[in-house]
Amino acid sequence: MSAPTMIGLTLPDVDEWSPRVVVALGQNPSIFTGPGTNTYLVGTGRERILVDTGQGVPAYLPVLERALERAGCRIQEIALTHGHPDHNGGVAALRERYGPLRVSKRPHAGFDARAPGPIHPIDDGSVLETEGATLRAIHTPGHAEDHLCFVLEEEQSLFSGDNVLGVGTTVIPSESGDLADYMASLERLLALDPARIYPAHGPLISDGAGKLREYIAHREERERQILAALALGDAPIAALVKRVYTDVPEVLHAAAAQSVASHLRKLEREGRARRLDEKPPLQAVWSLR
Ligand SMILES: [Zn+2]
């Protein structure tokens, strides 16, 4: 799940974004995935690592075949950034077609139950290797608890999953996500000073560190806006969304509400906002502390 602002953006189905990185588009465009999920063949040899598998739509396999042809390789193994269905949904079809490929990810009881077959557990610091590429996992919770980014050591570049997107901003789900964790993850990624970023949705990001600084500034600005909206009077999130997202069409307000809820839960933990009732975040009336 990602930013709803990428509607209408189109990308080529197969493209080479570096001598080590060929992208195959997941063929699952939507309000949440933008042009669809990017899946990446990484390496330079006859066998390469596939990062993410898309949603599992039948139209993806022929596109992946073209990408494999272009790269002149087979799939060595699969690495997943996290267990959301637009990233692990293709695993079953890929195993059916190419045999029992190893699938590495950070384990998550809830998400992994929906994906068939065994998971090879990896975590922060784990390394996956193939000819011409070394991928080092960075645990980056916030958008999802099991989220890993992968540093491509040979390029000092980053596969950012859903943490950083080519266009728009990441949705932090109000129930399963955590904005404070997410902000800490962005700071950690910035400290790596990545050259370029290969996002799970949207085009290549050529200035990785610059984009991370932009993301951090955007969240800080949003927090200021939400505090200012609350200062106008106690309100439920639906009303706060109308005060803050004045330039966003109403069809996207449900996604915006998730974001506001994530901000308010963070502010609540920090003692800067509170609920005036016992209701869950999306229904409650909120007030400044
Ligand atoms: Zn996701």
Side-chain angles (χ1 to χ4, degrees):
M1 186 158 63
S2 66
T5 47
M6 292 191 291
I7 303 161
L9 180 74
T10 54
L11 292 172
D13 283 337
V14 176
D15 208 353
E16 189 177 298
W17 284 357
S18 98
R20 290 182 172 80
V21 179
V22 170
V23 60
L25 198 57
Q27 308 303 308
N28 55 325
S30 77
I31 189 170
F32 290 116
T33 63
T37 307
N38 295 332
T39 73
Y40 293 104
L41 289 165
V42 186
T44 58
R46 305 281 298 170
E47 294 207 316
R48 303 189 189 183
I49 299 170
L50 179 68
V51 175
D52 282 340
T53 67
Q55 190 121 23
V57 299
Y60 170 65
L61 278 183
V63 169
L64 177 63
E65 282 293 334
R66 274 167 46 209
L68 291 166
E69 240 166 70
R70 173 143 177 191
C73 74
R74 295 181 305 174
I75 301 170
Q76 171 183 307
E77 61 182 298
I78 292 168
L80 298 176
T81 56
H82 63 301
H84 283 165
D86 56 322
H87 299 259
N88 69 8
V91 166
L94 290 173
R95 276 179 162 153
E96 198 170 299
R97 176 117 167 202
Y98 300 108
L101 296 165
R102 187 171 81 161
V103 176
S104 299
K105 75 180 287 293
R106 189 174 194 273
H108 183 288
F111 297 152
D112 297 348
R114 296 196 302 252
I119 292 293
H120 172 244
I122 56 171
D123 205 339
D124 193 70
S126 296
V127 169
L128 300 173
E129 285 176 299
T130 189
E131 188 179 326
T134 311
L135 292 178
R136 182 164 49 88
I138 314 279
H139 184 216
T140 42
H143 167 75
E145 204 282 321
D146 61 339
H147 197 288
L148 297 174
C149 292
F150 296 100
V151 174
L152 175 52
E153 304 271 9
E154 286 79 0
E155 291 185 359
Q156 196 51 34
S157 61
L158 186 72
F159 292 91
S160 62
D162 278 358
N163 270 30
V164 183
L165 305 172
V167 179
T169 55
T170 302
V171 169
I172 308 301
S174 70
E175 295 304 318
S176 61
D178 186 303
L179 186 62
D181 282 355
Y182 179 67
M183 295 297 289
S185 291
L186 291 181
E187 293 287 355
R188 186 161 178 222
L189 294 175
L190 179 59
L192 299 170
D193 194 23
R196 37 173 44 197
I197 287 179
Y198 302 103
H201 305 275
L204 172 70
I205 297 160
S206 54
D207 176 10
K211 178 61 94 174
L212 282 161
R213 277 191 285 271
E214 189 186 310
Y215 260 46
I216 292 164
H218 167 78
R219 293 289 169 176
E220 289 170 348
E221 170 65 12
R222 194 60 92 205
E223 183 170 285
R224 280 193 290 275
Q225 290 173 337
I226 290 167
L227 287 167
L230 264 184
L232 295 175
D234 302 343
I237 284 176
L240 293 172
V241 167
K242 288 205 175 74
R243 290 180 197 169
V244 171
Y245 292 79
T246 50
D247 55 345
V248 171
E250 210 140 308
V251 63
L252 299 178
H253 280 192
Q258 295 280 319
S259 176
V260 172
S262 298
H263 274 282
L264 287 170
R265 285 174 60 232
K266 171 175 175 286
L267 290 167
E268 185 179 45
R269 281 201 303 275
E270 294 168 354
R272 300 160 71 195
R274 66 191 169 101
R275 279 175 252 189
L276 297 180
D277 50 47
E278 306 282 300
K279 292 178 184 166
L282 284 167
Q283 282 86 48
V285 175
W286 288 84
S287 172
L288 286 177
R289 192 89 210 169

